[in-house]
Structure formats: C-alpha cells, structure tokens
Amino acid sequence: MKTISILIPAYNEQAVLGKLFTRLHTLADNNEKYDFEFFFVNDGSKDTTLEIIKEQAEIDTRVSYLNLSRNFGKEIAMIAALDHVSGDATVIIDADLQDPPELIPEMITWWEKGYDDVYAKRSSRLGESFLKKFTSRVFYNTLQSVTRIPIQKDTGDFRLLDRRAVEALKQIRESQRYTKGYFSWIGFKKKEITYHRDARAAGETHWNYFRLADLAIEGIVSFSIAPLRLATALGTAVAVATFIYLIVIVVRTIIFGTDLAGYPSTLAVILFLGGAQLLSLGIIGEYVGRIFNETKNRPLYLIEELHIGTSKKTR
Ligand code: UDP
Ligand code: MG
C-alpha cells in the first residue's frame, strides 16, 4: 500500500487541533486504499499544542511528530518535516483548517495520474482583509516581473508532492527560505486545482504586515538580482542626464557669459544623488546580508524530540 504523509506545521494551534484530528481521521477512513502518516512539526509552541499531539500519538500510531528546539518559523518547520516524512507522496497543509483536508483525495487522484506537484489555488479568500489581498496581488505581480521562473498566483503551501519533488526540495538548504518559490524552481509535472479558502477555524493568525513585508523582500531578493540592476539603471540615467546638462552649461556660458545663480538646483541635485546612493547601498546590503547568513552555514533547525509512528493504523 502507498503511504501519504500529511505534513502539518503547528505553532500555538491548541484551539484547532481537535477539529483537525477529526477531519484527518475522516479523510483516512474514507481512503482506505492508502496508509496515512500524520506528521506534525511543533514549531516551539508556547501553549499545549505539543501535549495534544503527544496524546494523539499514544492512541494513534499514524501520528508522527517533530518537536523543534524553539520557534523557527513556518518555512523552516516545513523543511524540517520534509527531511523526515516517509510517504510516497506528501501533502503540506496548515493546521488551522484554512486548507480543507477534503481536497486531498482529488490531489491523490491527480498524483496517481502522474503529476508530481498538485497545488491548490484559492478561488476565494474568506476572512482576509481587502488590504491583505491587495498587497499580496501587488507582490505577486512584482515578483513575477523580476524573475523568469513562473510564480503561481494565489497559491499557498497547500499541495501534494511526489517523493521526487520532496527529494528535490530537501536539496535546497538555504537558511533564509522562500519555499513558495522553490516549488516553482524545482519544476516537475504540476497540476492546478482550485478551492475556496475558508477563514481560520479557530485561534489567531501569526501573520502581520512586518512578516508579510519580510517574506516579500525575501521572495524577490532570493529569486532575482533585478534590484541590483535598478541601481545600475538609476546610476546610468543620472550620468547621462548630468552629461547633457554639462554641455548645456558650457554652451550657455560661451554665449551668455557667467552668472552665479543655481543654489536651489545644486541642493536638489545633491539631495537626489544622496537618496539614490543610499537606496542602492540598501539594495546591495540586502544581498550582502544574505551572503553573510548563508556563509555562516548553521544548521537549519535543531530537533528537541522526534517520534515516528508506523503509518499503519494498528489501534
Ligand atoms: N506556523 C508555524 N510557525 C510559525 C507560524 C506559523 O509552523 O512561526 C504554522 C501555523 O501553525 C499554521 C501555518 O503555519 O499551521 C500557517 O500559519 P497562519 O495560519 O498563522 O498563517 P496564515 O494562514 O494567516 O497565512
Ligand atoms: Mg492560516
């Protein structure tokens, strides 16, 4: 029998885990042709998330869990789990039930037809503000315009990955991760299915605009050096404009003689150049910072406890 691993990163999700287990059990009961592994990553939760998962692991051998030594963030939690899942296919799903587990059988069907990456595209996003939707659209469009890899719009991490896609992802060991981009980067046969994204079942979102902005910068900087080109373009434009202005001044001085005006224009030029230089420096800094972080070569995560179930339902 083929095994499907359900990968669930969980950070302070005690409010929703009960409901999640019910839905997962229903899923497994309705798909008896497959073995299931419910692989939880406890990402340094400060509530009873770990205790609830442990309790479940005791009564259900299909439950595996990885307890990270602290909160590393969802991106790292995902790679930690991918390193340890055993399934022939792996489904990444949020703990908060915003991604309906009921979609998984359809994903499996496509996987059986030979697709390596069956991803779910959101056709609606309930419980998300207009501003969040708007900023996310602007971000996707920007990202797509600066990179050659096709980035899927309105798609999260909710997807089924074949073993070979998982093995490919495991080879990407960057410490500042942008997993959404990696799914595109690895390629393989992709299939898109659509669904309605529900609002969070319980608990609170861990996202805020700082984290979102962070992820946006991460996405662009880790997939493109276009911002560096921006600095080059800006520099070139200023140089050309300045050269033309220089000729104008020389000609004007020859014809009309000298006059000593121009304090405001001098100030404007200095301020503009100062701003452009700082901006360019900031952009370079983003890349230098990443070089610094990657060269430190620290482990991506540390494990506090690892428990592997059997993926066979024995009790
Ligand atoms: N998550 C995590 N570590 C974190 C933050 C979030 O593992 O530091 C998990 C969280 O438990 C959930 C998923 O990542 O399963 C998505 O988080 P959330 O629902 O807060 O994000 P949103 O759906 O609002 O984008
Ligand atoms: Mg959520």
Side-chain angles (χ1 to χ4, degrees):
M1 251 182 9
K2 290 181 186 168
T3 306
I4 313 282
S5 294
I6 312 286
L7 187 168
I8 309 145
Y11 174 58
N12 294 346
E13 299 286 6
Q14 63 179 13
V16 78
L17 282 181
K19 278 187 196 155
L20 175 66
F21 277 114
T22 318
R23 301 264 287 268
L24 289 179
H25 291 155
T26 315
L27 168 79
D29 292 343
N30 293 339
N31 294 275
E32 290 189 318
K33 272 169 48 201
Y34 299 94
D35 284 329
F36 282 89
E37 173 185 47
F38 304 132
F39 198 106
F40 286 86
V41 185
N42 177 43
D43 186 18
S45 299
K46 291 170 189 71
D47 61 3
T48 58
T49 299
L50 181 65
E51 284 72 29
I52 299 172
I53 296 170
K54 278 186 173 175
E55 260 167 41
Q56 278 291 322
E58 260 170 36
I59 54 172
D60 186 346
T61 51
R62 294 170 299 184
V63 175
S64 298
Y65 61 83
L66 177 63
N67 187 31
L68 295 176
S69 64
R70 63 170 170 86
N71 176 250
F72 281 89
K74 185 187 179 190
E75 300 285 317
I76 296 288
M78 283 193 287
I79 183 66
L82 286 174
D83 283 341
H84 294 90
V85 290
S86 58
D88 299 293
T90 301
V91 179
I92 303 177
I93 190 168
D94 280 0
D96 60 8
L97 291 169
Q98 277 192 292
D99 312 324
E102 290 70 31
L103 213 63
I104 295 175
E106 190 186 341
M107 290 178 164
I108 296 176
T109 313
W110 288 109
W111 171 59
E112 290 286 11
K113 285 183 187 157
Y115 289 96
D116 300 293
D117 178 0
V118 187
Y119 61 91
K121 186 185 155 110
R122 308 183 270 251
S123 58
S124 67
R125 310 172 77 164
L126 292 174
E128 287 181 19
S129 67
F130 168 77
L131 197 61
K132 182 166 178 185
K133 285 186 247 187
F134 177 74
T135 43
S136 113
R137 200 173 67 230
V138 169
F139 164 64
Y140 275 119
N141 289 341
T142 316
L143 183 59
Q144 189 58 83
S145 61
V146 297
T147 174
R148 274 178 300 157
I149 307 158
I151 305 286
Q152 293 119 15
K153 250 185 225 179
D154 279 334
T155 309
D157 302 315
F158 184 30
R159 59 184 66 224
L160 179 144
L161 299 161
D162 181 66
R163 176 57 28 198
R164 67 173 175 171
V166 171
E167 291 303 324
L169 288 170
K170 279 161 71 175
Q171 290 178 47
I172 305 178
R173 307 308 291 186
E174 289 161 32
S175 59
Q176 274 177 289
R177 305 185 69 79
Y178 184 67
T179 311
K180 254 178 235 164
Y182 303 159
F183 295 134
S184 302
W185 186 87
I186 60 168
F188 293 122
K189 277 183 78 182
K190 297 195 184 303
K191 174 72 194 168
E192 176 179 295
I193 58 178
T194 50
Y195 77 113
H196 294 277
R197 186 162 170 88
D198 295 326
R200 220 172 207 287
E204 277 187 3
T205 176
H206 307 105
W207 285 107
N208 53 46
Y209 281 98
F210 285 112
R211 278 179 109 143
L212 217 59
D214 218 46
L215 199 68
I217 294 176
E218 197 59 61
I220 290 171
V221 175
S222 74
F223 272 88
S224 157
I225 54 165
L228 288 174
R229 298 245 168 86
L230 182 77
T232 316
L234 205 63
T236 314
V238 170
V240 170
T242 314
F243 185 70
I244 294 170
Y245 186 52
L246 186 103
I247 293 173
V248 170
I249 290 177
V250 170
V251 172
R252 211 173 54 184
T253 314
I254 291 171
I255 298 174
F256 301 109
T258 37
D259 53 0
L260 255 179
Y263 174 72
S265 58
T266 311
L267 194 68
V269 167
I270 289 176
L271 288 180
F272 171 72
L273 276 184
Q277 279 171 351
L278 282 180
L279 175 74
S280 309
L281 212 60
I283 294 173
I284 295 172
E286 285 290 332
Y287 288 91
V288 174
R290 267 162 191 78
I291 297 173
F292 172 63
N293 278 335
E294 296 303 332
T295 49
K296 281 192 284 192
N297 219 357
R298 290 193 186 149
L300 291 182
Y301 54 87
L302 291 175
I303 299 174
E304 197 270 329
E305 187 187 350
L306 175 63
H307 168 88
I308 301 287
T310 62
S311 82
K312 299 262 185 291
K313 194 180 178 187
T314 51
R315 271 175 287 173

